[in-house]
Amino acid sequence: DGINWTVMNTPTIASTKRGGALCYSPELGLFVQLIKDTVVAQQSQALISIDSSNWRLINVPGNSTTHNWNDVAWSSSLGLFAAVSGSVSDVPGSGTTNTQMIMTSPDGQNWTLRTAIANNNTFVWESIAWSPALGRFVAVGLGANTGGRNYSMSSTDGINWTGAITPNGTGY
């Protein structure tokens, strides 16, 4: 009813980890929650559940240095989850670039890294959504070596991405 809430137990995770974005697939009957880690080089993880009462911890691609997964979305049309990442290695001044900042999964359990847009800048992708009306994923984030320019990228299949510069600002 949205008024009365029940606390559910989840698998024990390290104290350096915290729950992140949550998404639900009605077609799969599956919740996916990304786990964020504050310690460098820890295995990236997610929680999955079919009933919101019993959760299973799974490993996903990357680690907290290369991939700190920020957001996840579900496309009913594609039958696909897509998640976006920011990482320690993409912080301004780090001198490194990681272009595989997207992961996709048809089942919420098996994930594949995908290449985001790249144009000699590093990006911290913050948010992703699926638009049924447009038939595409759209992700937004900050270009780290661009003087604070915001960027967006979109994909009609979750695999191939194109980008655009959005209005200047200090990030999302």
Side-chain angles (χ1 to χ4, degrees):
D1 62 14
I3 297 169
N4 300 301
W5 293 84
T6 303
V7 175
M8 302 293 185
N9 292 322
T10 60
T12 302
I13 58 175
S15 62
T16 60
K17 296 180 184 278
R18 61 185 171 84
L22 176 69
C23 184
Y24 180 70
S25 161
E27 290 79 10
L28 299 177
L30 185 73
F31 290 94
V32 172
Q33 181 184 25
L34 303 175
I35 302 296
K36 297 186 68 79
D37 202 316
T38 58
V39 175
V40 173
Q42 299 299 305
Q43 173 65 51
S44 294
Q45 295 180 310
L47 290 168
I48 58 174
S49 175
I50 58 171
D51 62 8
S52 78
S53 296
N54 300 292
W55 294 83
R56 185 165 56 98
L57 189 64
I58 62 168
N59 290 335
V60 297
N63 63 58
S64 58
T65 302
T66 61
H67 298 89
N68 222 345
W69 298 104
N70 289 326
D71 200 11
V72 60
W74 169 255
S75 164
S76 294
S77 302
L78 299 176
L80 194 69
F81 286 102
V84 292
S85 173
S87 72
V88 173
S89 63
D90 282 342
V91 171
S94 68
T96 61
T97 301
N98 179 5
T99 60
Q100 289 192 304
M101 302 301 283
I102 302 162
M103 66 176 175
T104 60
S105 173
D107 61 10
Q109 299 179 58
N110 301 291
W111 293 83
T112 302
L113 287 174
R114 305 293 182 190
T115 300
I117 64 168
N119 63 354
N120 298 321
N121 294 303
T122 55
F123 298 95
V124 178
W125 298 105
E126 297 291 343
S127 187
I128 187 170
W130 170 256
S131 169
L134 298 175
R136 69 182 57 235
F137 285 107
V138 176
V140 294
L142 176 66
N145 295 331
T146 62
R149 284 197 169 231
N150 299 318
Y151 279 78
S152 67
M153 63 178 168
S154 65
S155 173
T156 57
D157 63 7
I159 298 167
N160 301 294
W161 294 81
T162 57
I165 298 173
T166 57
N168 280 341
T170 56
Y172 292 93

